[in-house]
Structures are given as C-alpha cells and as structure tokens.
C-alpha cells in the first residue's frame, strides 16, 4: 500500500501569514509603548502639605517641592523638555510659578538635604537654576516650584507634568510623567 500525501490545508496556509503579521504588529506596538513610557519618576510619587496662612504682600513667595532628590535616574542624565505645574481649578486665584532645578546637599551621614517646602526662595547653597527645556538632571537633583501670589487667596498646587528625554543609559527614550500634589497655602 502506498501512502498518499495530502496537500496542505488551505486554511492553514492562510492563517500563517496572518498570525505572523498579528505577532509582528503586537511586538511593534509593545516596543513603541515601552519607548515612549520610560517612567523615570516612580508612579506612586506625590506630596501633601498644608502651609500656615500668611499675610499677603507683593513679592512674598512660597516654595514647594515637586520632586525629591533620588527620584530621577541615579545613573545617566535626564534632559528636561518641559515642566507644567497646575493650580487647583476651584480657586479663582492667580500666581506666578517659577520652576527650578535644585541640587540636594550631601550630609556627613551619607544622606541629602533637600529644599522641601518653605516661605522663601531656596538659598544659593542648593545651586538652583530655572528648569527650562534642555536643563540636565541627575540623581541628586529635584524640581521646586516657587509660587508668587498676585492676589490674596488660597493656592493649591495639584500636579506637575514633567516631559523629558533620557541619555544613552536610558536609550534616549522620551517620556512624560506626572506627580500628584496637594500643596496648599493661604494668603490673606
């Protein structure tokens, strides 16, 4: 008796290229998502602080920490593209917000002293510069918002959206991360 070979099924012949295409598209979509979502900031990062009410005077400032030292890559460099700080929309208050890149100060015990929250601009010892497009950030840098109210009122910082590009150690990936905040101060 002779074995009769049957031709390959037409269904099988059609599904192979379709399956290969679907797998290829899935890999490309996954790689594209990975490339555009480097997540340089921890997703759980956020801060909450209520400052004591303070008298309103022209030029009075309040400083709020947007990120802490150690939240940016410890290896390599991150280049800022933009930082957008949002005030709570429920309050009809206006303020000028300046974002700074400050460097934490190393302490004798191996820790670091960050800018934090306060009622004055960060001192010169923190080596602060405006956080604009092209600003480089390393592991001991932090972002700080300096709020200058334009009228008396309640000012609540709600979020900061940070767009950046990683260097060679991060494969030059670009991303955008947001921090959640509840940093409130009242000027009366």
């Amino acid at each position: 008796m002779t074995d009769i070979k049957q031709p390959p099924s037409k269904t099988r012949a059609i599904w192979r290229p379709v399956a290969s295409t679907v797998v290829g598209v899935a890999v490309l979509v996954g790689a594209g998502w990975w490339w555009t979502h480097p997540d340089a900031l921890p997703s759980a990062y956020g801060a909450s602080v209520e400052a004591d009410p303070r008298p309103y005077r022209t030029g009075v400032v309040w400083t709020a920490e947007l990120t802490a030292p150690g939240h940016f890559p410890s290896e390599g460099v991150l280049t800022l593209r933009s930082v957008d700080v949002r005030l709570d929309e429920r309050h009809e208050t206006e303020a000028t917000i300046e974002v700074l890149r400050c460097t934490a100060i190393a302490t004798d015990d191996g820790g670091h002293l960050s800018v934090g929250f306060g009622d004055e601009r960060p001192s010169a010892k923190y080596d602060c510069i405006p956080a604009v497009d092209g600003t480089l950030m390393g592991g001991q840098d932090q972002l700080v918002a300096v709020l200058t109210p334009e009228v008396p009122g309640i000012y609540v910082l709600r979020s900061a959206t940070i767009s950046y590009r990683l260097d060679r150690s991060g494969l030059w990936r670009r991303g955008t991360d947001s921090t959640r905040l509840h940093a409130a101060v009242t000027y009366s």
Side-chain angles (χ1 to χ4, degrees):
M1 219 168 182
T2 317
D3 277 339
I4 300 175
K5 293 189 179 183
Q6 295 184 353
S9 124
K10 289 183 181 180
T11 305
R12 192 181 220 180
I14 292 172
W15 283 107
R16 277 188 190 157
V18 170
S20 297
T21 302
V22 168
V23 169
V25 168
V27 167
L28 287 174
V29 167
W33 186 89
W34 175 82
W35 185 266
T36 59
H37 293 79
D39 199 23
L41 290 174
S43 59
Y45 184 76
S48 181
V49 65
E50 296 274 343
D52 293 331
R54 48 191 94 253
Y56 173 77
R57 289 189 323 267
T58 303
V60 170
V61 301
W62 185 60
T63 299
E65 178 180 274
L66 299 176
T67 64
H71 284 106
F72 290 101
S74 57
E75 294 180 17
V77 176
L78 176 145
T79 304
L80 288 179
R81 292 172 44 213
S82 67
V83 180
D84 181 33
V85 179
R86 297 202 188 264
L87 289 171
D88 192 321
E89 296 172 0
R90 293 177 294 163
H91 304 290
E92 294 181 14
T93 52
E94 296 180 14
T96 301
I97 301 173
E98 178 186 12
V99 180
L100 303 174
R101 189 275 298 146
C102 300
T103 303
I105 300 167
T107 60
D108 293 337
D109 62 359
H112 289 87
L113 181 62
S114 65
V115 172
F117 297 86
D119 58 357
E120 58 187 34
R121 290 181 68 78
S123 67
K125 65 184 178 182
Y126 291 103
D127 188 30
C128 296
I129 62 171
V132 296
D133 183 21
T135 300
L136 302 178
M137 299 196 65
Q140 296 311 314
D141 292 329
Q142 69 179 127
L143 292 173
V144 174
V146 179
L147 181 136
T148 306
E150 295 178 10
V151 297
I154 299 171
Y155 295 84
V156 181
L157 296 174
R158 284 292 179 196
S159 68
T161 302
I162 303 160
S163 294
Y164 56 88
R165 181 177 46 84
L166 300 174
D167 68 354
R168 181 176 66 194
S169 66
L171 299 174
W172 299 283
R173 293 163 52 204
R174 293 175 182 257
T176 300
D177 289 333
S178 292
T179 62
R180 293 177 306 280
L181 300 168
H182 177 84
V185 63
T186 301
Y187 284 89
S188 53

